[in-house]
Amino acid sequence: FPSHDNIEKILTTRDVVLLGIHAVDFHSKKKTNVWQVPIDVLVEPAKYEKYINEFVNVFGDSVKIVEQPHYAELLPKHADIIEKESGSLLVRVFQSFACHSYHEVKDIHVASIPTLLQFFFAYLYASAHYLEGFDENRIVCICQRLGVGQRRYYQKPCKGV
């Protein structure tokens, strides 16, 4: 697995919104900085190709990009960054087609619960062929982390079109 610092650098220094992750360590006090893939991010249309390439550069020649069209008016087009050898999804980059709210958590733009629910329900209603590689637990995990504990996150203005 590539340097976790490189993934975190993209998430903390670029204009991306984190949609989903298996957040084993995301808010943990242990701070092992282990980013579990796959990671789902949302980016503005003008930066879509740029950020796909940045994630590909993190993983190197061991990955391929598979573009997926939008699904009705429910889900935007996205690119899957897939490990060639195993076929495992590493990163899914969505191109935003609306304005999506987010929180800033530890210098990372994390999708707000309304944004997460929008994607969760969009997947719920999407056809089976569009759902390949999707695990709703990635979105549920982020929702849980935003809703648990004493923390209150200030919702930032939206990102997107």
Side-chain angles (χ1 to χ4, degrees):
F1 191 70
S3 168
H4 301 292
D5 292 338
N6 292 339
I7 292 173
E8 191 162 343
K9 182 178 179 184
I10 293 172
L11 295 174
T12 58
T13 63
R14 303 299 189 265
D15 222 8
V16 301
V17 175
L18 182 63
L19 277 175
I21 190 170
H22 287 292
V24 172
D25 186 62
F26 187 55
H27 293 286
S28 170
K29 292 180 182 176
K30 294 178 187 176
K31 293 292 165 230
T32 60
N33 290 325
V34 176
W35 285 93
Q36 300 291 321
V37 293
I39 297 171
D40 302 296
V41 296
L42 181 64
V43 302
E44 295 176 6
K47 298 175 183 175
Y48 179 69
E49 296 293 330
K50 175 184 177 184
Y51 292 139
I52 290 170
N53 290 330
E54 285 199 32
F55 278 108
V56 166
N57 288 337
V58 167
F59 296 98
D61 293 335
S62 65
V63 298
K64 64 180 179 178
I65 302 169
V66 178
E67 296 269 352
Q68 300 291 339
H70 71 282
Y71 178 74
E73 292 184 14
L74 293 174
L75 289 166
K77 84 176 194 174
H78 67 271
D80 290 340
I81 300 170
I82 298 171
E83 188 176 43
K84 290 177 187 175
E85 187 175 315
S86 69
S88 298
L89 176 65
L90 301 174
V91 180
R92 179 167 283 163
V93 180
F94 286 97
Q95 178 179 318
S96 68
F97 61 1
C99 195
H100 301 284
S101 59
Y102 65 95
H103 304 282
E104 195 165 304
V105 180
K106 301 178 184 178
D107 296 326
I108 297 174
H109 298 155
V110 179
S112 67
I113 290 176
T115 297
L116 293 166
L117 287 174
Q118 174 190 344
F119 276 83
F120 181 81
F121 283 112
Y123 272 114
L124 188 66
Y125 292 106
S127 65
H129 79 275
Y130 198 83
L131 299 178
E132 187 175 330
F134 175 71
D135 178 2
E136 69 276 354
N137 290 320
R138 295 195 306 263
I139 289 178
V140 171
C141 188
I142 293 289
C143 286
Q144 179 184 16
R145 296 294 178 188
L146 288 174
V148 171
Q150 301 296 324
R151 295 181 178 155
R152 293 285 174 228
Y153 298 105
Y154 174 71
Q155 187 167 312
K156 297 284 188 173
C158 64
K159 292 225 180 269
V161 193

